[in-house]
Amino acid sequence: MTSQFHAHSAHWGAFQAGLVDGRLVVRPHAGDPDPNPLIENFPDAARHPARISAPAVRRGWLERGPGPDTARGHDEYVQVSWNEALDLLARELKRVKDRHGPSAVFGGSYGWSSAGRFHHAQSQVHRFLNVALGGYVRSVNSYSAGCAEVLLPHILGSFEHVVKRNVTWEQIAKHSDVVLAFGGMALKNSRIASGGVSRHVERDAMLRAAQRGCQFICVSPQRSDLPPEAAADWIPVTPGTDTDLMLGMACTLIELDAHDRTFLSRYCSGWDELEAYILGRQDGVRKDAQWAATICGVPAERIVSLTKSLLKRRVLVVAAHSMQRAEHGEQPIWMAAVLACMLGQIGLPGGGYNYALGTFGHYGRRNNAISSPSLSQGTNSVKAFIPVARIADMLLHPGEPFEYNGQHLVYPDIRLVYWAGGNPFHHHQDLTRLTRAFSQVDTFVVQESAWTASARHADIVLPATMTLEREDIGSAPTDALMVAMHQIIEPYGEARDDYEIFCGLAQRLGVLDAFCEGRTAQEWIRHFYNTTRDTLVALGHEVPDFGTFWERGELVLPQLEDDGGMLRKFRQDPDAHPLATESGKIMVSSARIAGFGYIDCPGHPTWIPPVEAPTDEYPLHLISNQPAARLHSQLDFGGHSQSTKMHGREVCTMHPDTAQERGIEDGDLVRLFNARGACIAAVRLTSEILPGVVQIPTGAWYDPVEDADGKNLCVHGNPNVLTRDVGTSRLTQGCTGQLTIVQAERFKGEVRPVGVFQPPAFVTL
Ligand SMILES: Nc1nc2c(c(=O)[nH]1)N[C@H]1C(S)=C(S)[C@@H](COP(=O)(O)OP(=O)(O)OC[C@H]3O[C@@H](n4cnc5c(=O)[nH]c(N)nc54)[C@H](O)[C@@H]3O)O[C@H]1N2
Ligand SMILES: Nc1nc2c(c(=O)[nH]1)N[C@H]1C(S)=C(S)[C@@H](COP(=O)(O)OP(=O)(O)OC[C@H]3O[C@@H](n4cnc5c(=O)[nH]c(N)nc54)[C@H](O)[C@@H]3O)O[C@H]1N2
Ligand SMILES: [Mo]
């Protein structure tokens, strides 16, 4: 029997879904010029045994009560009824609040959950904790751009404007002569957009630009970071050394007397200090192309010819997120902005500096004329917070001081951690350390749709519906389509919506009315729509009523002009439109940052050698970048993601020379290891990666066993067993998960198959 297809939306695109002969079928939105194959993760995932079917409590927590416990991660679970689970949890929340106060609860709950505006797990959990406990310890910034979110406001005034209202794909297609992309702009990445995306435009924009004669340059350890459509030149660079390459280019510009002095003096502050550093006036080291070549691996002549090729052309310098998700991540993204200033390009159509263009499908596009609806989170009375990636530091070092963006802060003492809509055992670094960190708390609550590694470390596990199992509204600030997200299938097992779970807890804690304001989920969705409708009507638009919208499945929202935003205005009239920086100009050097006195982030872009560089023992760079076949760890058990595994393991890539030195052949299983841990992966050889570099995407579900020397070995290929858990610098404290060092060897031993897609062991007490 064929049922009707209905509209739905995910971070990986708008689509239609329905049941055909009882089987879930998805098909892309008809208007999407370059649909995303990630929607094919849904059909097999929806009813997969990896889903959580009923509430569960960890055996040790039930038997011994709340408290630190090293059994987390390898304990058994006990299935309980919803009533039992919610009673237990409400009692525990009350205990922690009464005894320790809301500042003992960590509700940062970072993660991507799903695209709907109402069933947005993070907003739901924050609202619930504010209403029920009076607040919680929050986290600030993201894993994506933790470093840039702190740095760019110092340099350019606004992070939001630099990423979302700057040079667009339309401008690139029309105006750019050169797109110099550090970290590339891989189409696998722009398939994703937080809140959903109805049209994937990047492939076509690159094709049109390239056909017009625009030259794309991919500066990356991997050629595949720009697609064939861009017909890009590839400049292979040693991971973590882009700053050095850029300094070499800057010195070349000075030597050619080709830097735009007028731009630097009219629009920038602090050029003289940086110039003195580049020319080595203090340290005696001239940062020229010869110097740069010895560090970044790009030959000096290539650095010079690359620099010359940019002169007198409309150049867009793009800096990917990936470069700042690494030690000293501030430096390359700051220096990339300076390079665009030296070329005098900032604020021109199709020229200048774009941070993170191409890393998401909603960057480089027109902005909607109105904002997307969202659930109010209420008021948080707790002042303490952490930069998001300092979670393990916080749990392991309560009461200890740390530095962040000029502030001296102290880690709070956390007893209860509540996670809904994120997977810390996916996203965090050094998972062995994270496991130790989570063993310290009294109670770890995870609301999830699947038995992720985080759920497997939790004390109370509450099954949440997945997006297809409920109604919602999909909308993102730079996508013109608001989507009526229809319910396609019934909830799996006993799964409940996050909202319904929080209503059950709110009722037990006597705050139901404050939490739900008398609305059912459906009434909230209608309320969201009507708020948007009222705004549009006030602007003079004709907008259908909710019923019509729901039936049509979508509403087209008005968009703003592609006007180049803040940086264009600044260029046109810097006195009338100063930037929100120390001087109102672009900060090539910053006295404020220098004043913080951080040796790991001085007052101008600086080459700082990484603490973690290859050694004899661990001679290879490991890149753990975003996976092509899924969003992070989500639906790793889905058909599309599974189709990319080899021998059931995640696939890493390396250069044939790297493999040959180690007796590794294409298709072998390999062990990647360092001092922190190890993982098993299958290997694919390619000459499109720099020798000495291994790449493995993130997101294979963490499936550890203890290896011979007592270290964690992930049998599935999760790189975060290897990555180092340190902040980018004292200034920004961002995640540094992108890069680490490893050794690789052919794996000869026996190892069990991946078991993490089956639920953990259950007992009845
Ligand atoms: N080594 C390394 N590590 C990295 C990175 C890297 O480059 N290298 N990148 C980092 C980056 S940029 C990011 S953004 C993070 C991503 O980290 P996360 O955002 O934590 O990763 P996801 O796998 O998307 O986790 C989302 C979880 O929400 C669950 N979920 C989905 N919908 C719902 C819902 O409606 N309700 C509830 N309760 N749960 C739901 C999903 O099942 C999934 O487990 O990873 C970071 N980690
Ligand atoms: N398919 C898919 N797309 C995604 C996501 C996903 O999970 N799946 N996640 C989304 C999220 S949350 C984010 S934050 C963005 C992340 O956007 P990015 O961080 O830009 O994405 P990555 O794929 O991690 O890295 C991009 C490329 O940078 C290169 N690179 C690594 N180190 C260096 C270096 O030192 N120098 C240079 N020049 N290049 C380097 C790598 O070859 C890598 O392929 O992607 C988004 N898009
Ligand atoms: Mo991210």
Side-chain angles (χ1 to χ4, degrees), residues 734-749:
C735 157
T736 55
Q738 179 83 191
L739 300 177
T740 190
I741 52 165
V742 293
Q743 179 56 292
E745 66 180 18
R746 211 175 133 214
F747 182 70
K748 302 171 213 88

Side-chain angles (χ1 to χ4, degrees), residues 110 112 142-145 321 325 360 626 632:
Y110 180 81
W112 269 63
S142 62
Y143 274 77
S144 316
H321 280 311
R325 208 176 304 111
F360 286 117
Q626 306 296 342
H632 313 134

Side-chain angles (χ1 to χ4, degrees), residues 13 40 51 67 72 310 486 512 697 724:
E40 289 300 337
R51 294 288 307 274
R72 287 192 185 102
L310 305 177
H486 284 248
L512 182 61
R724 182 158 166 257

Side-chain angles (χ1 to χ4, degrees), residues 10-15 26-29 32-42 187-193 197-200 203 361 627-631 640:
H11 297 302
W12 40 97
F15 62 99
V26 289
R27 56 187 191 209
H29 189 275
D32 191 339
D34 187 19
N36 186 348
L38 262 69
I39 59 173
E40 289 300 337
N41 275 328
F42 276 125
L187 289 177
K188 72 168 172 66
N189 285 351
S190 46
R191 281 171 181 167
I192 301 291
V197 55
S198 60
R199 298 177 64 242
H200 292 86
R203 189 189 302 273
R630 58 185 173 261
L631 173 61
H640 183 61

